[in-house]
């Protein structure tokens, strides 16, 4: 396979949010469907992404294609294809993160009340970074416990952990 950086620079990969390995996989898929001019008809993209195991809503796909296919040609070049695929790959990463955080939250919510105390949160934060001072911890708690209830529900916990 040709060097991927011929088609997408490191800067472009970083801007899109893809790793080199992901770009190589996308290049392989792209090459399998591209026409002789090195483009894929936008109408074929949904099928290709499905074959790659990506899940998406057709309406979301259409919106993204319209946004990415700036010249309105109905054809996606490799860089545009990567931009499009990245949106779904990153979304899957977000789903995986949410699942992991939900599991972590459930472990600390021992009584299954739907929240954890700010004291429990301090314990978690100390485990993550033992250099945090009591002042640091209080500052974090103050920031994330917006309603001052002394507890954190899953949404507050997730927001804090995913930044």
């Amino acid at each position: 396979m040709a060097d991927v950086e011929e088609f997408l620079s490191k800067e472009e990969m970083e801007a899109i949010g893809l790793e080199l390995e992901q770009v190589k996989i996308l290049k392989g898929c792209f090459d399998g469907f591209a026409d002789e001019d090195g483009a894929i008809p936008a109408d074929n993209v949904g099928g290709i992404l499905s074959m790659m195991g990506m899940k998406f809503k057709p309406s979301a796909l259409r919106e993204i294609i319209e946004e990415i296919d700036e010249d309105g040609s109905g054809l996606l070049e490799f860089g545009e294809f990567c931009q499009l695929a990245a949106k779904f790959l990153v979304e899957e990463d977000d789903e995986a993160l949410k699942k992991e955080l939900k599991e972590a939250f459930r472990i600390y919510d021992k009584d299954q009340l739907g929240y954890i105390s700010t004291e429990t949160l301090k314990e978690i934060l100390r485990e993550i970074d033992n250099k945090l001072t009591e002042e640091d911890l209080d500052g974090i708690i103050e920031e994330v416990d917006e309603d001052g209830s002394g507890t954190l529900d899953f949404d507050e916990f997730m927001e804090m952990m995913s930044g």
Side-chain angles (χ1 to χ4, degrees):
M1 176 187 304
D3 190 8
V4 171
E5 290 186 23
E6 286 177 36
F7 306 101
L8 215 56
S9 70
K10 272 191 168 45
E11 292 76 23
E12 288 172 311
M13 282 187 244
E14 283 176 22
I16 296 172
L18 292 175
E19 304 287 321
L20 182 59
E21 279 308 304
Q22 291 172 310
V23 174
K24 285 180 179 176
I25 291 167
L26 291 173
K27 181 68 177 143
C29 293
F30 182 86
D31 287 348
F33 293 95
D35 61 20
E36 60 277 354
D37 296 325
I40 293 178
D43 297 343
N44 297 359
V45 172
I48 296 166
L49 294 178
S50 291
M51 282 187 253
M52 293 171 66
M54 294 184 203
K55 295 175 178 59
F56 53 86
K57 292 183 182 142
S59 58
L61 179 62
R62 264 193 313 279
E63 278 177 37
I64 294 169
I65 288 173
E66 285 171 17
E67 178 187 316
I68 291 173
D69 183 21
E70 291 175 5
D71 60 4
S73 65
L75 298 170
L76 296 184
E77 287 78 33
F78 181 61
E80 294 170 325
F81 179 72
C82 286
Q83 285 179 321
L84 179 108
K87 292 187 183 288
F88 296 106
L89 289 169
V90 171
E91 213 168 84
E92 283 181 12
D93 290 347
D94 289 347
E95 284 303 309
L97 175 66
K98 186 173 183 175
K99 196 173 181 178
E100 287 172 27
L101 288 176
K102 199 166 217 122
E103 184 61 27
F105 185 82
R106 195 179 60 74
I107 290 167
Y108 290 104
D109 180 16
K110 292 177 178 67
D111 300 326
Q112 297 180 339
L113 300 170
Y115 60 84
I116 57 174
S117 71
T118 51
E119 285 308 308
T120 300
L121 178 61
K122 282 184 180 183
E123 290 171 29
I124 295 168
L125 294 172
R126 276 191 207 102
E127 284 177 31
I128 294 171
D129 184 354
N130 61 6
K131 293 179 188 76
L132 289 171
T133 65
E134 198 60 35
E135 199 174 282
D136 293 334
L137 293 169
D138 288 340
I140 293 169
I141 298 295
E142 196 175 300
E143 212 174 284
V144 295
D145 184 19
E146 293 170 358
D147 58 5
S149 63
T151 61
L152 242 70
D153 64 18
F154 176 68
D155 291 334
E156 290 171 314
F157 178 75
M158 188 169 137
E159 190 174 315
M160 180 199 73
M161 297 303 273
S162 58

